[in-house]
Amino acid sequence: MHSFKKIFLLLLIGGTLFLTGCGIRVATDLSLDQDFKGSRTITCFVSASDMLQYFKGDSKNIDNIIENNCPDCLIYSKKETDSGTEYQFRLEFQSLEDYKTSLGSVLNFSPEITYHGSSSVFSKGISIQENFTSLDLLRWFEVLLQEEYNISDSQIESLWEVGDTKVEFSGTSYESEPQISISSMEYSDFDGIEIYTTEKDDRTYERLIRFKVPTSTLNKHSAELEDYFADHLPKKAEGIWVPVKTGKNYELTLYADSFSELSSMTAVALDCTSEQQSLVSSTFSDYQFFQFDLERTEQLDFSYFLCTKDEEVPVAYYYKPNSLTEPKTVDIQKKINNNFTGKADKNGFYCLFDGNCTTLNVGFLGEMNLFVSSYQITTILKDNGALERSFTFTFQNDLIDPEIHQLNSFFKKNKTAHLTMKGDFSDEIGTLTITQKGTKDDLNYSSRLLFGSENNSADYKEGHSLLAVYQDTSLTESIDLSRFLGSTNQKLTGEYVFINESSETLNKFSIHSGQSDISYKETNQNNHYMADISGCLFTVSYTGSLFDPFGMIVFVILLLALVAATLFLIRKNPMNRLEKF
């Protein structure tokens, strides 16, 4: 009898609650794909009886409240039935960042969302946690209802009833608490990925990506793996399975004409879910045309291959520069990898990363040297101490189009009345020609601009003696190309030519490298000198004489004055003439 009374009492209480209702029942449906693109739908249902009890049966007034105050990021719709009214708020988003931005415009606190979703061979399921509920996203609505219908604070708490919260991901539906928290990840064994990048001397690239799949995963997902690699084979790529003791390695070899192309092909192979980024730059110093800095960096996304509970992948990244390039160890340590040692293995590869990661920002910083095969320097002396000097460098043309464009831009930028630069990069052997014209000060200015050394100078002097018919002249040239040519071209050989097109007469010519004299040949009656030189630092000097018309006039005037004075003295003292007879 007592049991029957208890059951009857519980049914009575439950029936009362059912008839009374709660006001607004809130349900949540979050639907998203692996890239976190999807929608969040919040459905608020108010029964006909609750509409009458709580809101005086005035649904149109609620419509006005929503339409005038609904946040822009929420798409509002309404549906009425005999049983009640359904208000729906839909938030659409393209990415996790887009989702956070929209939530931040509605919530009065910062949303925190951690997420990973995968449906790959190596990890399946979803892991997502949020620090808010759909009720938090409707606080604006609650405040307006409370003000409009004079609902007390105690009543407003009982106004809401939280319904089902569902998350749908990759065709699977998950039930959750109102504050979403789901963790359903399953992982397969995976030994990781090795990437070997080779930059060839012709400035093209070859990359080997090795996917190391153990036997346990091969047995479970052999068909899926075959399909994946077949569907993600980039153009100009080759892929083969190689048996190993632990299972099989899928070795994918990529061939690319540029680093940017190589990075894009890698994105296809890795099924990157984030935007693939790469940076390729070549930086020429104002003083070093044949030795310049290279930067090859990229961002790799390994999300498809996540295989650990920390949502990471074992990755090793190796880079082999071409024979013209040396790594800038200090810069790599500072900018990219603090553990970089700068030591290559026996095959010439540098290890830039070896560890676990999800995304990887990695790259190679180096210093590239172009080999100069020869150079010729020609100095022409013109009248009034004017000079014309040209440098012609012949080098192995390993430049790529962006670098050539950068050099040509530099040439145009620094073109002046007394300095011109021109490069011919059309063939495998390139030439760079620099021409300087003007006074010694003009040449000294442009030499400092180009070569960045105080050792580069030209000094022309002309003597001034009132009684001399021929004035002494001298020219001294100091040329230092060590910075300009770079560290690999210090023992370079070349030719120096001096041509006298002035009216001067050359008396003495010499050329020195350090403390040693360099032998030379003379042609064209001492107006043309040629010397074979080596190294990057040498000095040229000559002394000469220049006919001075003013000095001749002074000499003639003085001679005439002397004759006139003698005649005058003879006329003034005729006895001297008689005594002579």
Side-chain angles (χ1 to χ4, degrees):
M1 185 68 180
H2 289 290
S3 298
F4 175 77
K5 289 182 178 180
K6 288 181 180 180
I7 293 172
F8 177 77
L9 181 60
L10 289 173
L11 291 174
L12 180 62
I13 294 174
T16 303
L17 291 173
F18 177 77
L19 293 173
T20 302
C22 63
I24 304 175
R25 182 176 177 84
V26 179
T28 302
D29 288 287
L30 178 64
S31 176
L32 66 158
D33 63 14
Q34 188 171 325
D35 298 332
F36 211 95
K37 178 181 179 181
S39 63
R40 184 186 187 115
T41 303
I42 304 172
T43 303
C44 302
F45 179 77
V46 183
S47 67
S49 59
D50 287 339
M51 182 67 73
L52 181 63
Q53 178 180 351
Y54 289 100
F55 308 114
K56 305 175 183 178
D58 191 3
S59 64
K60 291 184 178 180
N61 190 36
I62 295 179
D63 294 345
N64 292 332
I65 291 175
I66 296 174
E67 290 173 358
N68 293 329
N69 297 279
C70 184
D72 293 338
C73 62
L74 298 179
I75 302 171
Y76 161 65
S77 63
K78 172 189 173 183
K79 183 170 65 175
E80 288 186 313
T81 63
D82 293 339
S83 59
T85 305
E86 182 180 279
Y87 301 94
Q88 192 175 89
F89 303 93
R90 182 179 176 86
L91 171 62
E92 296 181 347
F93 45 86
Q94 301 298 315
S95 65
L96 179 57
E97 288 303 315
D98 185 24
Y99 184 56
K100 288 181 179 180
T101 300
S102 298
L103 293 173
S105 67
V106 180
L107 296 170
N108 57 6
F109 57 89
S110 298
E112 295 179 4
I113 303 106
T114 59
Y115 161 79
H116 172 63
S118 177
S119 57
S120 75
V121 173
F122 306 100
S123 57
K124 294 181 183 293
I126 184 174
S127 174
I128 183 170
Q129 288 81 37
E130 298 180 342
N131 68 336
F132 60 91
T133 68
S134 289
L135 291 182
D136 294 318
L137 295 172
L138 296 175
R139 291 304 177 197
W140 60 273
F141 187 30
E142 177 185 280
V143 171
L144 294 171
L145 289 177
Q146 189 173 10
E147 293 175 353
E148 180 69 21
Y149 295 101
N150 296 318
I151 302 174
S152 66
D153 291 339
S154 58
Q155 289 176 323
I156 201 70
E157 293 297 330
S158 60
L159 181 66
W160 303 96
E161 179 185 357
V162 179
D164 295 335
T165 298
K166 297 180 180 179
V167 177
E168 184 172 327
F169 174 78
S170 295
T172 303
S173 183
Y174 302 88
E175 298 283 344
S176 174
E177 296 295 323
Q179 182 169 303
I180 293 176
S181 178
I182 298 173
S183 181
S184 66
M185 295 301 300
E186 297 179 0
Y187 299 96
S188 300
D189 295 333
F190 185 47
D191 294 335
I193 299 173
E194 294 177 344
I195 298 176
Y196 294 86
T197 304
T198 301
E199 182 179 4
K200 300 180 179 180
D201 285 348
D202 62 1
R203 309 300 296 280
T204 62
Y205 292 85
E206 180 179 325
R207 171 172 284 176
L208 170 66
I209 306 178
R210 179 176 292 139
F211 303 88
K212 302 191 295 183
V213 186
T215 302
S216 57
T217 302
L218 285 169
N219 292 338
K220 294 179 181 178
H221 305 291
S222 179
E224 292 179 75
L225 288 167
E226 291 282 358
D227 291 342
Y228 175 86
F229 290 121
D231 293 339
H232 294 80
L233 183 67
K235 295 180 180 179
K236 297 195 299 184
E238 301 171 354
I240 59 171
W241 283 99
V242 178
V244 294
K245 291 182 179 180
T246 57
K248 283 186 179 180
N249 293 339
Y250 184 77
E251 297 192 350
L252 181 65
T253 305
L254 313 178
Y255 303 94
D257 294 328
S258 67
F259 190 81
S260 298
E261 182 186 16
L262 183 71
S263 189
S264 297
M265 294 171 71
T266 304
V268 173
L270 298 179
D271 191 36
C272 289
T273 57
S274 62
E275 183 179 352
Q276 188 79 354
Q277 299 177 353
S278 64
L279 171 66
V280 181
S281 68
S282 305
T283 305
F284 290 81
S285 167
D286 290 345
Y287 309 130
Q288 293 177 328
F289 278 63
F290 300 102
Q291 178 176 297
F292 50 94
D293 294 335
L294 298 178
E295 183 172 353
R296 306 287 185 260
T297 58
E298 62 184 332
Q299 177 179 298
L300 301 174
D301 185 352
F302 301 98
S303 298
Y304 180 86
F305 300 90
L306 300 186
C307 57
T308 72
K309 292 183 179 180
D310 294 328
E311 299 175 359
E312 293 180 325
V313 187
V315 174
Y317 186 103
Y318 299 88
Y319 192 94
K320 181 181 180 180
N322 60 32
S323 62
L324 308 173
T325 306
E326 293 292 331
K328 300 189 74 173
T329 301
V330 175
D331 289 346
I332 294 176
Q333 287 175 334
K334 288 182 179 179
K335 296 181 181 180
I336 297 177
N337 186 351
N338 291 329
N339 297 320
F340 180 71
T341 60
K343 295 180 180 179
D345 64 18
K346 63 181 180 180
N347 296 315
F349 285 96
Y350 293 89
C351 182
L352 302 184
F353 180 82
D354 189 357
N356 291 351
C357 64
T358 303
T359 59
L360 179 63
N361 292 302
V362 67
F364 180 84
L365 308 178
E367 184 178 84
M368 181 173 173
N369 296 274
L370 296 177
F371 288 115
V372 179
S373 56
S374 64
Y375 65 91
Q376 183 183 66
I377 303 172
T378 302
T379 300
I380 302 174
L381 176 64
K382 298 179 179 294
D383 284 326
N384 301 318
L387 297 167
E388 179 176 327
R389 185 164 62 194
S390 64
F391 299 82
T392 301
F393 301 93
T394 303
F395 61 93
Q396 180 181 331
N397 182 20
D398 294 300
L399 298 169
I400 57 178
D401 288 342
E403 294 164 352
I404 294 173
H405 177 74
Q406 183 180 350
L407 281 177
N408 285 327
S409 298
F410 180 82
F411 297 159
K412 293 178 181 178
K413 178 182 177 182
N414 290 280
K415 183 178 180 180
T416 65
H418 57 271
L419 172 65
T420 58
M421 291 178 283
K422 182 180 180 182
D424 183 359
F425 310 111
S426 58
D427 298 320
E428 293 182 2
I429 301 299
T431 59
L432 173 64
T433 302
I434 301 171
T435 303
Q436 301 170 286
K437 294 181 180 181
T439 65
K440 64 177 184 179
D441 292 334
D442 293 333
L443 265 67
N444 289 337
Y445 172 78
S446 59
S447 293
R448 286 193 294 271
L449 175 69
L450 287 170
F451 308 125
S453 172
E454 296 297 331
N455 293 329
N456 289 282
S457 64
D459 187 19
Y460 176 82
K461 295 180 180 179
E462 184 179 313
H464 294 284
S465 176
L466 292 176
L467 301 179
V469 176
Y470 286 91
Q471 304 289 354
D472 293 334
T473 61
S474 66
L475 173 67
T476 301
E477 286 185 286
S478 294
I479 298 176
D480 183 0
L481 302 177
S482 56
R483 290 187 65 181
F484 183 78
L485 292 173
S487 59
T488 61
N489 296 313
Q490 298 301 301
K491 297 181 180 181
L492 184 64
T493 59
E495 182 182 61
Y496 177 85
V497 178
F498 182 87
I499 301 174
N500 179 23
E501 293 184 354
S502 72
S503 54
E504 298 183 25
T505 299
L506 269 62
N507 300 326
K508 184 180 179 181
F509 179 86
S510 62
I511 181 168
H512 307 275
S513 177
Q515 301 298 320
S516 303
D517 293 340
I518 299 176
S519 60
Y520 57 86
K521 296 181 293 184
E522 301 178 26
T523 59
N524 299 334
Q525 299 177 348
N526 295 339
N527 285 333
H528 195 157
Y529 296 82
M530 298 176 61
D532 293 327
I533 53 180
S534 61
C536 301
L537 178 62
F538 57 94
T539 302
V540 179
S541 62
Y542 88 86
T543 57
S545 57
L546 176 66
F547 176 73
D548 186 357
F550 180 77
M552 176 61 77
I553 293 172
V554 172
F555 176 78
V556 171
I557 291 174
L558 290 175
L559 181 61
L560 291 174
L562 180 61
V563 172
T566 301
L567 293 175
F568 175 78
L569 291 174
I570 291 174
R571 287 182 179 180
K572 192 171 183 179
N573 192 357
M575 293 301 297
N576 289 338
R577 289 180 291 173
L578 294 174
E579 291 176 358
K580 290 180 181 179
F581 291 103

